[in-house]
Amino acid sequence: MESPLLQSPGAVAADPPDEGVAAHYGEPAQEQRALAAGAAFADRSNRGVVRVSGPDRLAWLHSLLSQHLDALKPHEPTEALLLSPNGHVEHHLFLVDDGEAVWAHVEPGTAPSLVEFLDRMRFMLRVEVADVTGEYMVVTGPPGDAPSTDVPSWPDAAGTTTRIVPRAGGFPADLRPAGIWAYEALRIAEHRPRFGLDTDHRTIPHEAGLVETAVHLEKGCYRGQETVARVHNLGRPPRRLVFLHLDGSVDRLPAHGDPVEIPGGRQVGFVGSAARHHELGPIALATVKRNVPVDAELLAGGVAAAQEVVVSPDTGANAQIDLRRRPAARG
């Protein structure tokens, strides 16, 4: 759905997957500073919104998703993953229960496929699933006072709060709008991976650091649990998420999907998302092979990059953590 804010003076449309909202409104750096300072809001109305109602909703979602949900308290935000039978991430959901229904926001364009899957899994349970993207939207802005209990909300990057609000109510009138570039820069700086950008069809939760936020390791069976348990116990996922400090002398950012290489031209991964941060400069998230030394200099889409560990190469509760570094040169 195209946001009405795209008709604002100076608005520049974002590229996929964020088409439909503005990348910026003519002042990207100022918008980012204002968002971080609590003086702006980010229009994320292109995201999907799903509502699950009915008395069996929490126990049912608990059986399907990676998070412990059957005792979820009202207005307590959490995250969960829908995994494939092989443990690959298929959906990343941000969830909250308002006492009557579970609300979730998901990546742009993914709500219909999520609702289709959930509808197939209802069987005789007392649940109803609805894609309500047409009636509700996602907005990220300052936390303000404690939000009304009838507004689903989540703490987000750089102290912001994300809320699901009725589209009919419009956007905050007392704040300036910030483009999606502003929000993305804050998200990347906090090492928060985004499904579909910083993941691919082979991503498992441990590779992207999603176990800490979206997986409960002691709950009962759910689809894909075997993969999660195996990596948790044995460690050593095939790949790992890294944060990149990019060469600031280059006048471009690497694109999503650009190769990550080590000196000599060998590809070891791919670029996920990249942005220009108002304090850190050009930054990115990337996925690389587990055995890439943690202090190796990299090239991200041809741009020199220094990596910062997000996911240890030996992640897993029972694995011996020993970050790999290049051997010292022998004299």
Side-chain angles (χ1 to χ4, degrees):
M1 300 182 66
E2 183 173 301
S3 169
L5 293 185
L6 272 178
Q7 306 305 315
S8 302
V12 175
D15 294 326
D18 289 317
E19 66 272 33
V21 298
H24 62 86
Y25 299 90
E27 299 178 317
Q30 291 89 332
E31 293 166 25
Q32 189 182 142
R33 291 189 183 96
L35 183 62
F41 70 91
D43 174 10
R44 302 173 66 203
S45 59
N46 58 330
R47 289 184 65 80
V49 180
V50 174
R51 186 177 186 270
V52 181
S53 58
D56 296 330
R57 63 189 182 280
L58 289 175
W60 178 63
L61 290 172
H62 179 90
S63 71
L64 296 173
L65 304 178
S66 63
Q67 190 59 270
H68 197 293
L69 298 173
D70 61 359
L72 185 66
K73 297 177 182 178
H75 318 298
E76 181 178 300
T78 190
E79 300 176 29
L81 305 174
L82 176 62
L83 304 178
S84 75
N86 293 324
H88 300 135
V89 180
E90 292 188 342
H91 290 277
H92 184 185
L93 298 81
F94 295 81
L95 299 164
V96 70
D97 187 90
D98 66 4
E100 296 182 356
V102 173
W103 294 80
H105 68 89
V106 294
E107 285 297 318
T110 64
S113 62
L114 175 62
V115 168
E116 180 183 7
F117 171 81
L118 293 176
D119 264 334
R120 294 201 309 268
M121 304 303 292
R122 287 191 306 159
F123 304 114
M124 300 298 291
L125 295 174
R126 297 169 297 169
V127 293
E128 295 292 335
V129 184
D131 179 354
V132 293
T133 308
E135 295 81 46
Y136 294 88
M137 63 181 178
V138 177
V139 178
T140 297
D145 297 328
S148 169
T149 56
D150 62 356
V151 178
S153 62
W154 295 258
D156 215 317
T160 59
T161 294
T162 288
R163 297 181 174 90
I164 292 176
V165 298
R167 289 187 182 271
F171 296 96
D174 56 340
L175 299 170
R176 70 177 292 179
I180 196 66
W181 282 5
Y183 173 80
E184 287 290 278
L186 301 181
R187 174 187 67 81
I188 294 168
E190 293 194 356
H191 304 174
R192 300 185 182 211
R194 181 174 170 186
F195 173 69
L197 281 179
D198 304 305
T199 68
D200 62 12
H201 68 286
R202 296 189 293 121
T203 297
I204 59 176
H206 282 86
E207 293 179 333
L210 292 170
V211 171
E212 292 80 2
T213 59
V215 176
H216 193 284
L217 293 169
E218 297 178 3
K219 61 167 287 187
C221 293
Y222 57 92
R223 196 166 76 151
Q225 183 192 23
E226 294 82 0
T227 297
V228 172
R230 182 170 63 251
V231 176
H232 177 66
N233 290 318
L234 301 178
R236 305 178 187 278
R239 304 178 300 175
R240 59 187 179 88
L241 185 73
V242 296
F243 176 75
L244 300 179
H245 294 274
L246 302 168
D247 182 357
S249 67
V250 179
D251 62 357
R252 63 180 179 85
L253 293 172
H256 169 64
D258 274 356
V260 175
E261 302 168 318
I262 58 175
R266 181 167 68 91
Q267 182 171 347
V268 294
F270 68 90
V271 175
S273 45
R276 297 188 185 277
H277 191 272
H278 67 287
E279 293 179 341
L280 301 175
I283 55 176
L285 292 174
T287 297
V288 301
K289 294 180 179 179
R290 177 180 58 82
N291 58 4
V292 174
V294 298
D295 58 354
E297 295 294 323
L298 303 173
L299 289 174
V303 179
Q307 62 169 309
E308 187 175 314
V309 174
V310 176
V311 173
S312 164
D314 293 307
T315 188
N318 299 322
Q320 179 65 39
I321 304 300
D322 181 19
L323 299 184
R324 287 161 176 72
R325 300 186 185 278
R326 293 171 295 188
R330 296 182 178 181

